[in-house]
Amino acid sequence: MTSTADAPRSPGRPRSIRADEAIIEATLDLLAEGSTIEALSIEAIATRAGVGKATIYRRWAGKDALLLDALRRLKGVMAQPAGHSVRDDLVLLVGAIGKNVDPRAAKIMPCLAPAVNRSADQFQLYQNIISPRRQLMREVLRRGIDEGVLRADIDVEVTMALLTGPMLIQRVLQWNPDLDEQSLPERVVDAVLEGIQAR
């Protein structure tokens, strides 16, 4: 799934950054207001953004490409591990799970789950968003193995699930309101490290 918003442009009239912003914002606003991904239409986005449909299609190949860019914007810039301490890097990445600076994310992200389960296209859209974040955590764990900090026999994929699951269930569903969200990333990482640290 390729976004034409990131594709090289041929010489010609400069694209309006203002229009780009209006289109992305309109997409996120409509989703936050309750539109499902399936029901969201280019026509509705164009109307909300105050542009023509052709303006959108000049920038994105279709709705899926536009959604990918909009949801990436919603998620924000990925946390970047410093690379000095495996524990600190994991705390940083775990702390970023389910944490969004845009308040619309609290309304949009939980609504993605049904769409992901119903549609192969939406599943791929979701994977395109989270795959780079998953890869960052994978690299930190593999670095820990290479440095002798973590056991060589750990299952990296299962370990990522153990680190990610508690944060998702707490931040998306507020599973236990008595848990302190500020300290939770460190507590999760330390609990998992107890089982995977090299002895």
Side-chain angles (χ1 to χ4, degrees), residues 111-170:
C111 297
L112 288 181
V116 166
N117 290 328
R118 286 194 300 263
S119 163
D121 288 341
Q122 303 313 325
F123 174 80
Q124 190 57 55
L125 171 68
Y126 175 69
Q127 291 301 319
N128 287 343
I129 294 167
I130 66 167
S131 180
R133 289 168 165 77
R134 196 163 51 223
Q135 182 59 23
L136 275 178
M137 185 178 291
R138 187 179 289 117
E139 289 170 359
V140 170
L141 291 170
R142 286 175 176 164
R143 191 185 83 229
I145 294 171
D146 292 342
E147 293 175 354
V149 175
L150 304 179
R151 292 190 349 238
D153 63 343
I154 68 168
D155 186 321
V156 170
E157 304 304 311
V158 170
T159 301
M160 288 196 297
L162 291 171
L163 290 165
T164 302
M167 296 306 301
L168 278 178
I169 197 171
Q170 185 63 22

Side-chain angles (χ1 to χ4, degrees), residues 3-139:
S3 166
T4 59
D6 297 325
R9 290 178 57 80
S10 57
R13 186 173 63 183
R15 192 175 71 197
S16 167
I17 299 301
R18 186 175 300 172
D20 289 1
E21 291 290 327
I23 294 164
I24 292 288
E25 288 299 306
T27 303
L28 294 176
D29 283 344
L30 289 167
L31 289 172
E33 290 166 10
S35 175
T36 64
I37 287 179
E38 294 96 331
L40 187 65
S41 68
I42 293 295
E43 290 84 352
I45 295 169
T47 299
R48 174 63 69 92
V51 301
K53 288 193 295 181
T55 301
I56 295 177
Y57 284 118
R58 279 197 298 269
R59 290 157 169 77
W60 290 275
K63 188 175 80 171
D64 284 349
L66 171 54
L67 279 170
L68 180 59
D69 279 355
L71 293 174
R72 278 175 174 164
R73 168 81 65 83
L74 188 71
K75 290 294 291 179
V77 178
M78 288 191 298
Q80 295 297 322
H84 304 308
S85 159
V86 170
R87 179 189 179 274
D88 290 349
D89 288 350
L90 289 175
V91 169
L92 176 71
L93 295 177
V94 169
I97 294 168
K99 187 175 184 179
N100 305 284
V101 294
D102 191 320
R104 291 172 296 189
K107 297 178 179 178
I108 295 173
M109 297 311 290
C111 297
L112 288 181
V116 166
N117 290 328
R118 286 194 300 263
S119 163
D121 288 341
Q122 303 313 325
F123 174 80
Q124 190 57 55
L125 171 68
Y126 175 69
Q127 291 301 319
N128 287 343
I129 294 167
I130 66 167
S131 180
R133 289 168 165 77
R134 196 163 51 223
Q135 182 59 23
L136 275 178
M137 185 178 291
R138 187 179 289 117
E139 289 170 359

